[in-house]
Amino acid sequence: MKTLLMTLFIFVATFSLAHAQGYNVGDNATDFKLKNVDGKYVSMADYPDAKGFVVIFTCNHCPYAVAYEDRMIAIDKKYKAKGFPMIAINPNDPEIAPADSYEKMQERSKDKGFTFPYLFDEGQKVYPAYGATRTPHVYLLERNDENLVVSYIGAIDDNYQDASAVEEKFLENAIDAVLAGKKPDPNFTKAIGCTIKAKK
């Protein structure tokens, strides 16, 4: 009996730890419903014809996130027509990072002409479920019947400072692989960016 209880404890602890750390490649992602900068709520269920999604946790103030904004717009324009629309989510607590308030998000989206939804993770419940730790932090999801399977996690490319000097377009290569019916390689890279701002 003691051995059985110990085994059960280890199983529960391992399961809880795995989910506290967010998704791994191959996991099924759950949908969300968050407020967009236009005041409407958006979920992935709103895109019944999508083959998958590019979910990027990003924000206004982080220099890494700002450096990638034009590339994010270009990627969205290129791939949403192929069935992979982008959804950006600001995970930061605006009390910690006032530049990432909902009102500032509206201004940033308008100024940059974002072509994708820019959602506010109010209450900061979505980013921990995904396991995002940085801005930007990318999750490529592939629709498989009713499931949204995590196919790639990590960075957009290998050079946040200079788009013209990029050697590896991790995210675009991953989407192209999925569109070709293949597995992304690599399917995981280290996300480079600012830490997500939350109360301790």
Side-chain angles (χ1 to χ4, degrees), residues 32-62:
F32 44 74
K33 190 171 186 177
L34 298 173
K35 191 176 183 181
N36 193 13
V37 288
D38 64 1
K40 299 177 181 177
Y41 282 82
V42 172
S43 69
M44 292 186 282
D46 299 330
Y47 300 78
D49 296 328
K51 298 176 183 176
F53 297 90
V54 178
V55 177
I56 299 184
F57 293 88
T58 187
C59 67
N60 291 350
H61 87 278
C62 172

Side-chain angles (χ1 to χ4, degrees), residues 154-171:
I156 293 173
D157 57 42
D158 66 353
N159 193 327
Y160 85 91
Q161 292 177 305
D162 185 357
S164 66
V166 169
E167 295 183 357
E168 293 287 340
K169 296 182 177 181
F170 300 127
L171 175 57

Side-chain angles (χ1 to χ4, degrees), residues 64-137:
Y64 297 88
V66 171
Y68 273 115
E69 287 176 335
D70 290 338
R71 277 172 270 184
M72 289 170 58
I73 292 170
I75 291 170
D76 179 56
K77 288 181 176 178
K78 180 177 179 180
Y79 287 102
K80 69 181 173 186
K82 298 181 180 182
F84 280 82
M86 180 177 292
I87 297 177
I89 300 174
N90 170 19
N92 285 339
D93 184 339
E95 291 188 17
I96 308 298
D100 293 328
S101 70
Y102 180 72
E103 293 74 19
K104 294 293 184 183
M105 288 173 59
Q106 291 176 306
E107 293 176 10
R108 190 65 186 169
S109 178
K110 184 178 180 181
D111 291 345
K112 289 299 298 181
F114 285 166
T115 56
F116 43 81
Y118 187 24
L119 312 181
F120 181 44
D121 187 7
E122 188 171 11
Q124 298 186 299
K125 296 179 181 177
V126 174
Y127 89 79
Y130 275 70
T133 58
R134 302 281 170 175
T135 54
H137 204 153

